[in-house]
Amino acid sequence: MPKKPPSPARCAALFVLDKVLTEERILLEVLPALEEQCRDARDLALAREIVSGTCRWLGRIRHVLRYAAKNFDGLPDAVKRILELSVYQLFFLDRAPAYAVLSDAVELTRRRRLPALASAVNAILRRLQREVDVIPYPKREENLAVHLAAHHSHPQWLVERWLDLWGEEETEAFCRFNNERAPLSLRLRGNETAALEKLRSLEIVFERDERFPNRIQIAPDQHLKPDALQCEEWAVQDGAAMLVPMLLAPKAGWKIWDVCAAPGGKTFFLADMMGNQGEIAASDRSELRLDLLRDQQKRFSLSCIKPLLLDVLRGDPPAGFGDFDAILLDAPCTGWGAFRRHPDLRWRLRPEEEKHSAEQAQRMLGKVHPYLKPGGVLVYSTCTLSPEENEKTVERFLNRHPSYEIEPAAPFLPEALCETTAVEGWMRLVPQRWNLDGAFAARLRKKE
């Protein structure tokens, strides 16, 4: 009698997790593969849950697997991925029947041409089922970093870094926040009443964020139709990302350079704030990401945006480029503030990247600031909480360029969010305090 094939959801989840955890691809870039392999909406929903949940809880999953299989780290990568996604379902998903999880894990192992390990996979998972209540975890009083890393599923080196920066209470609160499922955040464009009526007509349940004039949230467990977000009435954008263009405070007719623009969320908000009047040079080093920006630009009918393929660290802008009223440098960074929304990122980071990102940001600031006209505004922002990449980078830039001065951020932010600003003037958004992604931004004025 032929073996029953594993569910399409688990097959698709294994394919994507192979790409993310074995090949270190970016989750957001390979997620579309789930739609190609899961034609049924229920399979697609389960596959997405398995992938995101496994990435989110990978640290705790690996801890329990090392308890049940002393040779776990020596297993083939494919077997590790099968065990990881299976443990997530057994430990975190109530709706996944255990017998189906185990049966599919064994069959997936066989299909990866590893039949000799199929019985070992079955034995490991069955042991964890039996001993779920007696699995030992590192004790807080013996080693706090090891305890938090295992219990809250973060790399130990990152936890140690945060403990040095913030202490125990803030670090644990941050770790807890990162493991929550992020709501879908929408920025309403144009006629708010019309946008809300359309949401209701699509039977989308939403909640207003009263701290913002134009932000709503949709619960992460709400299943939306594939084309629900493909309209011009709203744009997908977290509240933290909305604050950065507000800090730039553009005016109609301005000439702006958005240096690392793609895929375009902040660019589109700037264009909306300008009433599509003026010019935004939207540069990025990735043609693929610029294509995403162009697609969205067409949907939003924003003619003031001029996409430009440019790596500012390796090349110069075209002739005649410059004399901008404002420049936005949303610098590439370690992304600590985006861990809730991008659960795979914490596992790709390396300790040396914090210093590298800070040095790169400093070089980028040095390359772009000459293109700002006297009296113009330069906003430097990141989605990390790293002092090296944030406050220290701004301080170094100001020390090297006395023609610039920092301006207080508070007057440009919604009143309910003014407390995100520090006495030095910059904005620093701590996620667990504000229930938003983490972010940093400083508004710098070039003296006349």
Side-chain angles (χ1 to χ4, degrees):
M1 184 175 178
K3 296 285 185 181
K4 181 182 178 181
S7 78
R10 295 185 180 100
C11 290
L14 177 59
F15 176 83
V16 169
L17 287 171
D18 264 336
K19 298 293 182 185
V20 174
L21 300 179
T22 304
E23 300 178 19
E24 295 191 341
R25 297 275 299 278
I26 297 172
L27 176 57
L28 203 60
E29 294 178 355
V30 295
L31 266 181
L34 296 181
E35 297 180 15
E36 297 170 8
Q37 299 185 34
C38 296
R39 300 303 178 185
D40 183 272
R42 291 168 297 181
D43 285 332
L44 179 58
L46 177 58
R48 284 173 173 164
E49 177 61 37
I50 292 172
V51 168
S52 62
T54 301
C55 289
R56 186 173 292 113
W57 290 104
L58 189 63
R60 190 187 292 189
I61 289 169
R62 287 177 173 171
H63 174 78
V64 303
L65 281 168
R66 290 180 180 118
Y67 160 79
K70 303 303 180 187
N71 68 330
F72 171 75
D73 292 314
L75 293 172
D77 287 331
V79 174
K80 287 191 280 191
R81 303 294 87 86
I82 291 167
L83 287 169
E84 288 159 356
L85 68 87
S86 300
V87 169
Y88 174 70
Q89 295 170 82
L90 292 174
F91 280 45
F92 294 92
L93 282 188
D94 295 334
R95 69 177 186 267
Y99 69 86
V101 174
L102 268 68
S103 174
D104 279 4
V106 170
E107 187 58 25
L108 285 169
T109 306
R110 291 195 179 109
R111 290 185 173 221
R112 287 302 179 97
R113 300 180 181 179
L114 296 165
L117 290 173
S119 59
V121 166
N122 186 56
I124 291 167
L125 295 176
R126 288 191 179 279
R127 181 184 177 188
L128 287 174
Q129 272 189 293
R130 293 192 307 269
E131 301 180 21
V132 60
D133 295 326
V134 297
I135 297 172
Y137 286 87
K139 294 182 179 179
R140 177 185 292 266
E141 60 272 16
E142 292 180 0
N143 190 316
L144 180 59
V146 173
H147 166 82
L148 294 177
H151 192 73
H152 294 296
S153 189
H154 283 73
Q156 183 181 329
W157 69 267
L158 262 177
V159 174
E160 290 171 345
R161 174 76 172 123
W162 297 337
L163 286 170
D164 287 341
L165 286 173
W166 310 322
E168 178 179 345
E169 184 177 347
E170 199 77 78
T171 296
E172 185 160 20
F174 184 51
C175 290
R176 288 183 187 277
F177 178 87
N178 292 339
N179 289 329
E180 296 175 2
R181 297 174 65 195
L184 178 64
S185 174
L186 300 182
R187 175 179 62 83
L188 304 181
R189 307 178 64 242
N191 189 310
E192 180 180 314
T193 301
L196 295 178
E197 286 178 357
K198 183 164 185 174
L199 283 165
R200 294 187 184 101
S201 72
L202 293 170
E203 299 182 342
I204 296 175
V205 180
F206 60 87
E207 179 182 350
R208 295 289 300 267
D209 185 344
E210 300 298 342
R211 299 172 299 180
F212 292 80
N214 54 350
R215 178 177 184 252
I216 65 167
Q217 296 184 95
I218 299 171
D221 57 355
Q222 187 173 169
H223 299 307
L224 304 179
K225 295 177 182 178
D227 60 347
L229 303 178
Q230 302 302 312
C231 66
E232 62 180 14
E233 283 85 358
W234 49 75
V236 177
Q237 190 168 39
D238 185 73
M242 291 172 63
L243 296 177
V244 175
M246 291 181 186
L247 201 57
L248 200 70
K251 292 181 173 60
W254 270 18
K255 185 180 178 184
I256 296 176
W257 182 13
D258 188 351
V259 181
C260 302
K266 297 180 181 69
T267 316
F268 303 137
F269 194 9
L270 289 171
D272 285 342
M273 294 171 77
M274 295 163 63
N276 198 28
Q277 298 178 42
E279 180 178 322
I280 302 176
S283 66
D284 202 274
R285 66 181 182 181
S286 167
E287 187 70 67
L288 179 63
R289 286 166 61 83
L290 275 177
D291 284 341
L292 296 175
L293 184 148
R294 292 185 184 103
D295 290 343
Q296 292 277 73
Q297 179 185 1
K298 290 177 183 176
R299 179 158 67 89
F300 293 148
S301 302
L302 293 170
S303 58
C304 72
I305 298 171
K306 311 298 180 186
L308 171 67
L309 182 64
L310 174 66
D311 184 340
V312 296
L313 292 180
R314 296 187 177 183
D316 295 321
F321 195 79
D323 202 30
F324 289 100
D325 297 286
I327 294 176
L328 170 59
L329 174 55
D330 188 45
C333 65
T334 50
W336 295 357
F339 283 172
R340 179 179 69 160
R341 205 166 294 279
H342 302 288
D344 57 311
L345 177 56
R346 69 185 83 170
W347 308 112
R348 288 201 314 275
L349 284 182
R350 299 292 179 265
E352 63 273 12
E353 289 182 56
E354 185 180 3
K355 181 179 178 181
H356 171 75
S357 293
E359 292 172 347
Q360 178 178 261
Q362 198 65 233
R363 295 200 306 273
M364 294 180 82
L365 282 167
K367 288 275 291 194
V368 306
H369 85 86
Y371 295 91
L372 185 68
K373 71 180 185 181
V377 174
L378 167 62
V379 168
Y380 170 78
S381 65
T382 73
C383 62
T384 191
L385 303 177
S386 156
E388 286 292 327
E389 299 168 76
N390 294 341
E391 295 90 339
K392 292 183 180 179
T393 292
V394 171
E395 289 169 350
R396 291 187 189 108
F397 176 77
L398 292 174
N399 288 336
R400 293 173 181 174
H401 303 280
S403 60
Y404 283 82
E405 59 186 0
I406 191 166
E407 293 188 336
F412 302 94
L413 301 177
E415 185 177 353
L417 292 157
C418 285
E419 290 184 15
T420 62
T421 60
V423 293
E424 294 86 353
W426 46 58
M427 178 191 80
R428 182 176 179 272
L429 201 157
V430 179
Q432 63 270 23
R433 298 181 195 169
W434 298 95
N435 195 26
L436 295 166
D437 290 353
F440 172 90
R443 176 184 166 95
L444 310 176
R445 174 78 68 179
K446 188 174 185 179
K447 299 174 185 176
E448 298 280 1

